[in-house]
Amino acid sequence: MKYLSQIRRGAAVLASAGLLCGVLGSGTAVAAGPTSATEASHGFYKGRVVARVGAPVRTGPSTRFRVVGELRRGGVVAVACKVGGQRVRGNSRWYKLRDGRYTWSRNIANIGPIPRWCHRHHHHR
C-alpha cells in the first residue's frame, strides 16, 4: 500500500506540472492532450514544438499541401495520431493534430506516450 501511495503522489505531482506547463506555455499552442497511456488511447497525445523557428502546419502530410499556420517553438500541442506521408530528410512520419491539420513529426517532441497510427492500415507515400 505504501508503494501505491507513492505512485499516486507522483502522478499528482506530474499532473500538476503538466497543468502548470499548459498555463505558462505559448499563447498559440493547441490545447494539451492526455497525460497517461490510458487517456491517450481514448483522447489525444501531447508534444512540444521543437522546430528551430516554428513548425508549419499543413492541410495534409506533405510539403505539397498548403501551409495554414505555424506552431511556435516551445508550445505544447495536442496530437491525434501519426500518419505516413512525404519523406522529408529521411523521415516520412507526420502528426495529425487535434484540429485536423498536419505537421512533420520531427517538429514535435513527444510528452508521454508516442502517438498511435491514425488508421489500422497506414501507408507511406
Side-chain angles (χ1 to χ4, degrees), residues 39-98:
E39 286 177 275
S41 67
H42 295 93
F44 299 98
Y45 301 86
K46 281 198 305 187
R48 182 166 309 279
V49 180
V50 293
R52 287 187 183 142
V53 292
V57 287
R58 300 175 178 275
T59 58
S62 165
T63 58
R64 293 182 294 273
F65 284 94
R66 186 168 47 98
V67 174
V68 291
E70 182 177 281
L71 303 171
R72 291 202 321 205
R73 180 175 174 84
V76 175
V77 296
V79 176
C81 52
K82 62 186 171 186
V83 299
Q86 176 190 9
R87 185 173 299 277
V88 178
R89 287 187 257 154
N91 181 345
S92 61
R93 191 162 302 139
W94 290 69
Y95 283 160
K96 182 176 182 181
L97 302 177
R98 180 173 88 174

Side-chain angles (χ1 to χ4, degrees), residues 22 24 31 39 58 105 116:
L24 297 177
E39 286 177 275
R58 300 175 178 275
S105 66
R116 64 174 172 75

